[in-house]
Amino acid sequence: MSRERSDVTGEESPTKTVAWLFCPADRPERYAKAAAAADAVILDLEDGVAPERRDEARAALRARAPGLDPATTIVRINPHGTPEQARDLSALEGTGLARIMLAKTESADQLAALAGLEVVALCETPLGVARADEIAAAAAAVMWGAEDLMAGLGGMSSRAPDGSWLDVVRYARSRVLIAAGAAGVPALDAVYPALEDLDGLRVEAADAARSGFAGKVALHPRQVPVIREAFRPDEVRVAWARAVLDAAAHSGAQRVGGEMIDEPLLRQARRVLAAAG
């Protein structure tokens, strides 16, 4: 399994692949629209497709594969050890689609079983979050999920009445992000399920960008521009980054605008300008 950085992870160009979009694989008429709307498309063979329609979804995926961009198309397959996963992998043979998302990843061994594929590991169960370090170290990228996590914990909701994440969910989010950072791989933030609440999405996506997530996954095309905007630094932050780097380059200044500047802040400034394009 390749661990190299790729366009799909967005590491080389932070603004290039920040908005990912799920698309049910049993809706081939949506493939092209999803690809046109988002930076990367996740064709879903798991929870986004009813079990009785998965064979139809696999057939549609194989039929449309020649027209899909393998650099920006990711296929979410079913969990390790299930008959559904075996059928998913069989359907992908010979299609040229080698980037996949493994649902409910729970160990590095599950990733090792997918040798030859570039895998985004989805940590969305209690065991998957608990093993985030070993999973991130074996994956090309990681994502986390809240709803399956809460189901596994016996919870009733992932969010408080005001829409904010519960503490245990925030812990899982942070846990996966830190594991990704330690392993040197990108992390994707979870979906925002309230499709009409674009203001809430904007706040959550901006927090993801500030925290170090490489991107956020959308459920609907209308969410894509909101995510892109949130991952683009505002003018104030860009001006700060330019001032910091200019001062360091020309005077070796250790203080800019009342702020002590050291290498970690210089790295942040470089990242801001890269994200601003």
Side-chain angles (χ1 to χ4, degrees):
M1 178 179 57
S2 172
R3 287 291 310 282
E4 297 178 359
R5 304 287 189 172
S6 68
D7 288 342
V8 145
T9 61
E11 182 66 17
E12 295 301 325
S13 176
T15 60
K16 188 173 183 180
T17 315
V18 298
W20 300 46
L21 176 63
F22 271 119
C23 177
D26 64 339
R27 301 298 300 272
E29 73 279 6
R30 296 183 182 178
Y31 290 6
K33 294 179 181 178
D39 303 321
V41 176
I42 306 165
L43 298 180
D44 192 9
L45 290 172
E46 198 224 7
D47 285 347
V49 179
E52 65 273 14
R53 289 180 58 87
R54 286 180 183 157
D55 283 339
E56 180 180 340
R58 295 179 189 106
L61 185 58
R62 285 191 63 85
R64 298 294 182 100
L68 301 174
D69 184 352
T72 56
T73 303
I74 302 90
V75 180
R76 180 162 74 165
I77 65 172
N78 283 275
H80 175 81
T82 63
E84 294 286 355
Q85 186 189 93
R87 296 185 186 105
D88 295 343
L89 294 174
S90 178
L92 288 175
E93 289 181 1
T95 64
L97 299 175
R99 288 176 166 146
I100 64 172
M101 176 177 285
L102 177 59
K104 300 176 180 64
T105 308
E106 294 191 324
S107 73
D109 288 343
Q110 294 179 359
L111 300 176
L114 298 169
L117 298 170
E118 184 176 334
V119 185
V120 179
L122 181 46
C123 299
E124 54 181 340
T125 68
L127 187 55
V129 172
R131 291 178 173 170
D133 291 339
E134 70 166 79
I135 290 169
V142 295
M143 179 181 166
W144 76 283
E147 304 314 322
D148 280 295
L149 174 65
M150 292 310 297
L153 292 173
M156 295 184 290
S157 174
S158 63
R159 295 180 184 266
D162 65 358
S164 62
W165 295 116
L166 297 179
D167 286 346
V168 67
V169 178
R170 280 196 292 267
Y171 165 77
R173 183 181 192 238
S174 300
R175 179 81 177 79
V176 172
L177 176 61
I178 292 171
V185 300
L188 301 173
D189 199 24
V191 299
Y192 190 80
L195 300 183
E196 303 300 326
D197 182 15
L198 298 183
D199 289 337
L201 170 63
R202 186 173 292 108
V203 170
E204 192 166 285
D207 178 82
R210 288 192 297 267
S211 298
F213 282 96
K216 188 171 180 66
V217 181
L219 289 172
H220 192 281
R222 72 166 63 96
Q223 295 181 319
V224 168
V226 177
I227 292 171
R228 285 179 176 152
E229 178 187 359
F231 273 80
R232 187 178 301 115
D234 61 29
E235 294 180 2
V236 173
R237 194 62 177 168
V238 170
W240 167 85
R242 286 176 175 154
V244 165
L245 293 175
D246 185 66
H250 291 90
S251 65
Q254 298 299 305
R255 186 181 176 107
V256 176
E259 185 175 31
M260 292 302 296
I261 301 300
D262 56 10
E263 182 56 30
L265 284 181
L266 291 174
R267 290 171 63 188
Q268 290 181 33
R270 295 184 193 106
R271 178 72 182 179
V272 167
L273 292 187

